[in-house]
Amino acid sequence: MNSTPHPNRVSEEFEEMEMDFPVINMEKLNGEDRGAAMEQINDACENWGFFELVNHGISHELMDEVEKLTKEHYRQCMEQKFNDMVASRGLDSVDTEINDTDWESTFFLRHLPVSNMSEIPDLDEDYRKVMKEFAVELEKLAEQLLDLLCENLGLEKGYLKKAFYGSKGPNFGTKVSNYPPCPKPELIKGLRAHTDAGGLILLFQDHKVSGLQLLKDGKWVDVPPMHHSIVINLGDQLEVITNGKYKSVMHRVKAQPDGNRMSLASFYNPGDDAVIYPAPALVEGEEESSKLYPKFVFNDYMKLYMGLKFQAKEPRFEAMKATESTNLKMGPIATV
């Protein structure tokens, strides 16, 4: 099956860069092109922090149902609340740039270690059922990808899953977002620039309305919307575990004057008590100074991140380094 071609509506500023955006056909991992596909994944992790998957094994019919029910839920349960918030804050008539608010309507579904699906109001049974099924497929894909990263990094199979495991397994959840049409897109961001705190992020995004951009070589680059693709990006924890070989990347969502953009970002993150540090195999035989990143408990990093999300990641790493020697007694990675 051929992947859907990139949309033609690409701004001139980003066109050259977007054409090179890494798109991985996962079917190629099962044949003679496996080596080239693995190298493409490795290059994307080293140089982009993002890549887009096609032929990833998740049913297109399931994805279509998720999209349909997500958009219906927004119209029925979220749209009026969003409009009321905009009106109450006067966001539709601002004349100066807004830096403390995002033009998005969101809610969060937690899947692991314990689901909160039954606690979310206004979710009908069909939507709950479909989202549970989608989460199972995404979890399998996330763990497959982590093992592909292990292979590229020369780590033992299962290392990253174990590193994320903690005592109760990983944290896994989905941020369901809609980005409605914005009358002042030049003054309000859909989502302000940030790196993701966690591990591996799997995004099912709208294929008709664009907006997601990543920062590469000092320029904002569009992440191309493609039908039935899953966009992958790396979070801060993978940067730490790989000792900087792979890096999390700043990204943002531009508000758009037309169209409502759907975004389902699923975060496969370490467990709260998972201890995160550079994989010994990636710093073996090197000087202590080559260990560029600290050791910390994931939940401690998250507490810091919540107040500093929209700032550079480096000061967060430095802050964790400063507390490393006093707050952390290292033990072995918890195993499944």
Side-chain angles (χ1 to χ4, degrees), residues 79-94 98 101-103 188:
E79 187 171 27
Q80 190 57 52
K81 293 176 188 174
F82 179 80
N83 291 339
D84 291 346
M85 182 277 292
V86 168
S88 71
R89 299 190 58 181
L91 294 178
D92 50 351
S93 57
V94 296
I98 301 296
T101 299
D102 300 309
W103 189 268
I188 307 176

Side-chain angles (χ1 to χ4, degrees), residues 54-80:
V54 295
N55 297 322
H56 41 64
I58 300 178
S59 146
H60 289 182
E61 291 75 18
L62 175 59
M63 296 178 79
D64 288 342
E65 190 67 9
V66 168
E67 180 175 359
K68 178 172 81 79
L69 293 175
T70 298
K71 290 181 174 180
E72 283 179 6
H73 178 266
Y74 174 74
R75 285 192 297 270
Q76 294 170 8
C77 305
M78 306 288 288
E79 187 171 27
Q80 190 57 52

Side-chain angles (χ1 to χ4, degrees), residues 121-139:
D122 304 325
L123 291 188
D124 64 38
E125 276 312 304
D126 286 347
Y127 194 24
R128 287 182 214 274
K129 181 181 176 184
V130 164
M131 288 304 292
K132 283 180 183 176
E133 187 180 347
F134 190 45
V136 168
E137 294 300 312
L138 288 169
E139 182 187 355

Side-chain angles (χ1 to χ4, degrees), residues 5 123 225 229 253 270:
L123 291 188
S229 72
V253 176

Side-chain angles (χ1 to χ4, degrees), residues 99-252:
N99 292 311
D100 62 352
T101 299
D102 300 309
W103 189 268
E104 63 173 356
S105 169
T106 70
F107 64 96
F108 191 81
L109 298 174
R110 187 176 65 246
H111 312 304
L112 296 173
V114 179
S115 173
N116 72 343
M117 202 95 69
S118 62
E119 302 163 17
I120 305 294
D122 304 325
L123 291 188
D124 64 38
E125 276 312 304
D126 286 347
Y127 194 24
R128 287 182 214 274
K129 181 181 176 184
V130 164
M131 288 304 292
K132 283 180 183 176
E133 187 180 347
F134 190 45
V136 168
E137 294 300 312
L138 288 169
E139 182 187 355
K140 287 191 290 191
L141 180 58
E143 292 179 354
Q144 178 187 0
L145 286 166
L146 288 177
D147 276 343
L148 293 174
L149 299 193
C150 284
E151 185 177 337
N152 272 335
L153 290 162
L155 298 172
E156 173 189 355
K157 184 177 181 181
Y159 180 91
L160 290 171
K161 182 179 177 181
K162 290 175 185 175
F164 281 21
Y165 202 79
S167 62
K168 297 178 182 176
N171 284 302
F172 184 48
T174 300
K175 179 188 175 187
V176 181
S177 304
N178 281 271
Y179 298 91
C182 179
K184 302 279 187 173
E186 71 283 1
L187 297 178
I188 307 176
K189 297 285 187 297
L191 181 60
R192 289 161 285 167
H194 63 286
T195 66
D196 289 324
L200 193 70
I201 298 85
L202 304 92
L203 171 69
F204 175 28
Q205 66 169 345
D206 203 292
H207 66 281
K208 293 179 180 176
V209 183
S210 64
L212 178 62
Q213 297 182 321
L214 64 92
L215 191 63
K216 178 168 172 57
D217 302 328
K219 295 180 181 177
W220 288 107
V221 181
D222 285 338
V223 177
M226 294 173 62
H227 204 193
H228 297 134
S229 72
I230 298 289
V231 176
I232 304 300
N233 73 282
L234 310 182
D236 294 349
Q237 308 310 302
L238 284 174
E239 178 167 338
V240 173
I241 294 171
T242 65
N243 200 41
K245 181 175 173 64
Y246 296 165
K247 287 190 166 59
S248 60
V249 170
M250 292 286 278
H251 53 284
R252 68 184 185 183

